[in-house]
């Protein structure tokens, strides 16, 4: 019996004394793998942060470019407006100095020479526009011209409220003056550019009613239609713009009216 038990006791002792490192070594490997994974994740976060920073810099650069382009566009628009107003001012000075025919009174011994206007203001009309007032009034119109030019210079400077007040004062002082039609037009324009469409429309309609054959008449009728469009009176605007196309075919005013009519028609199809 003793000989039988001895081998079993020895075997049990060997089993009890055997080390159990395998599970511990596996746990250590898992821990190392976890640390490596964490380090890899940290590196990925750093790379992602660098990419986000780069994107922010690119967005900031694009914003700067957009702001610069917007500024250049605004300067271009301002320059175009100034050139247009300057051209109109030159035409007005030509008109005031005899660019159109002036009817002299019967008692006058000298008649100002008739000069053909080589640059039409807006569009050809059925009869040549006249300077209102007799020749003696035109000869003495230095104060009138100075007052008109002062208001026009204010308009060119973009001071539309001040320009409106000056043109109003001019029309009160010279209601039938040589520059009254132009003053009415630019008074309406000073209201139009600030979004005061009812007052703008009133000035343009007054010009059309008092001076239907003036060079400013096509532009005035166009602006009546645009003011109606600005007031959301689309049907009235469409009728007025169609009238511009019919009455002044081939003119700049007619081409602008056609463009706006197409835009109205496209908006109705949406």
């Amino acid at each position: 019996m003793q000989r039988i038990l001895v081998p079993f006791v020895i075997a049990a002792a060997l089993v009890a004394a055997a080390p159990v490192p395998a599970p511990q070594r596996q746990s250590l490997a898992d821990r190392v793998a976890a640390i490596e994974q964490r380090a890899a994740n940290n590196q990925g976060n750093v790379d992602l942060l660098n990419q986000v920073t780069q994107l922010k810099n690119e967005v900031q650069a694009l914003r700067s470019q957009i702001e610069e382009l917007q500024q250049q566009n605004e300067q271009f628009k301002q320059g175009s407006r100034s050139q247009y107003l300057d051209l109109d001012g030159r035409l007005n000075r030509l008109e005031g100095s005899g660019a159109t025919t002036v009817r002299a009174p019967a008692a006058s011994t000298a008649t100002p020479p008739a000069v053909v206007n080589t640059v039409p203001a807006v569009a050809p009309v059925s009869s040549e526009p006249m300077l209102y007032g007799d020749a003696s009034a035109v000869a003495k119109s230095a104060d009138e011209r100075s007052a008109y030019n002062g208001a026009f210079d204010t308009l060119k400077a973009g001071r539309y409220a001040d320009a409106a007040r000056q043109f109003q004062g001019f029309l009160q002082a010279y209601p039938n003056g040589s520059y009254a039609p132009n003053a009415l037009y630019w008074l309406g324009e000073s209201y139009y550019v600030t979004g005061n469409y009812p007052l703008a429309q009133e000035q343009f309609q007054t010009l059309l009613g008092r001076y239907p054959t003036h060079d400013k008449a096509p532009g005035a009728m166009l602006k009546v239609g645009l003011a109606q469009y600005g007031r959301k009176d689309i049907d009235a605007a469409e009728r007025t713009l169609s009238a511009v196309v019919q009455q002044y075919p081939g003119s700049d005013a007619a081409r602008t009216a056609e463009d706006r009519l197409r835009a109205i028609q496209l908006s109705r199809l949406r």
Side-chain angles (χ1 to χ4, degrees):
M1 178 65 69
Q2 185 175 3
R3 269 184 274 168
I4 295 174
L5 291 175
V6 169
F8 285 104
V9 171
I10 293 172
L14 290 174
V15 171
V20 192
Q24 294 178 359
R25 285 197 298 270
Q26 184 64 35
S27 175
L28 182 59
D30 290 341
R31 290 173 60 189
V32 170
I35 292 172
E36 291 176 347
Q37 183 64 37
R38 193 177 302 119
N41 291 339
N42 290 338
Q43 184 61 40
N45 291 337
V46 171
D47 293 340
L48 182 60
L49 181 60
N50 291 336
Q51 292 176 8
V52 170
T53 302
Q54 183 179 358
L55 289 174
K56 286 182 178 180
N57 293 336
E58 292 177 357
V59 169
Q60 184 62 37
L62 289 173
R63 285 178 179 172
S64 299
Q65 293 178 8
I66 290 172
E67 290 175 356
E68 183 177 353
L69 290 173
Q70 288 175 338
Q71 180 64 23
Q72 291 177 357
N73 184 50
E74 187 62 30
Q75 291 175 352
F76 174 76
K77 290 192 295 184
Q78 184 65 33
S80 298
R81 185 186 301 114
S82 298
Q83 290 175 4
Y84 171 69
L85 295 175
D86 182 64
L87 176 60
D88 186 85
R90 294 181 184 180
L91 290 172
N92 293 332
R93 286 189 285 274
L94 285 173
E95 292 172 355
S97 60
T100 54
T101 305
V102 179
R103 299 185 187 277
S108 176
T109 58
T111 302
V115 180
V116 177
N117 188 355
T118 59
V119 184
V122 177
V125 290
S126 58
S127 61
E128 218 174 23
M130 305 295 296
L131 281 176
Y132 292 83
D134 58 29
S136 61
V138 172
K140 299 176 182 179
S141 64
D143 291 340
E144 176 189 347
R145 186 183 307 175
S146 176
Y148 175 84
N149 288 340
F152 193 76
D153 289 340
T154 302
L155 181 70
K156 287 196 296 183
R159 295 158 46 203
Y160 302 115
D162 293 337
R165 285 190 289 270
Q166 287 181 268
F167 280 121
Q168 288 172 344
F170 174 89
L171 290 168
Q172 290 174 359
Y174 308 99
N176 299 310
S178 303
Y179 293 95
N182 302 77
L184 275 170
Y185 182 88
W186 292 116
L187 176 59
E189 186 72 13
S190 66
Y191 288 135
Y192 181 83
V193 296
T194 56
N196 194 338
Y197 300 120
L199 279 178
Q201 182 178 338
E202 180 181 344
Q203 311 313 313
F204 294 128
Q205 287 176 329
T206 300
L207 191 158
L208 287 170
R210 292 178 60 186
Y211 311 104
T213 62
H214 193 270
D215 287 352
K216 290 294 185 187
M221 183 178 288
L222 171 66
K223 284 302 177 70
V224 168
L226 296 179
Q228 291 169 332
Y229 184 85
R231 298 174 65 182
K232 309 301 181 184
D233 191 353
I234 306 301
D235 292 338
E238 194 168 16
R239 289 192 297 270
T240 303
L241 295 172
S242 297
V244 174
V245 175
Q246 293 173 2
Q247 294 187 32
Y248 308 104
S251 65
D252 290 340
R255 285 188 287 271
T256 302
E258 289 173 341
D259 291 340
R260 185 54 59 93
L261 284 170
R262 282 194 291 269
I264 292 174
Q265 293 167 0
L266 288 173
S267 66
R268 286 178 172 171
L269 294 176
R270 294 174 182 173

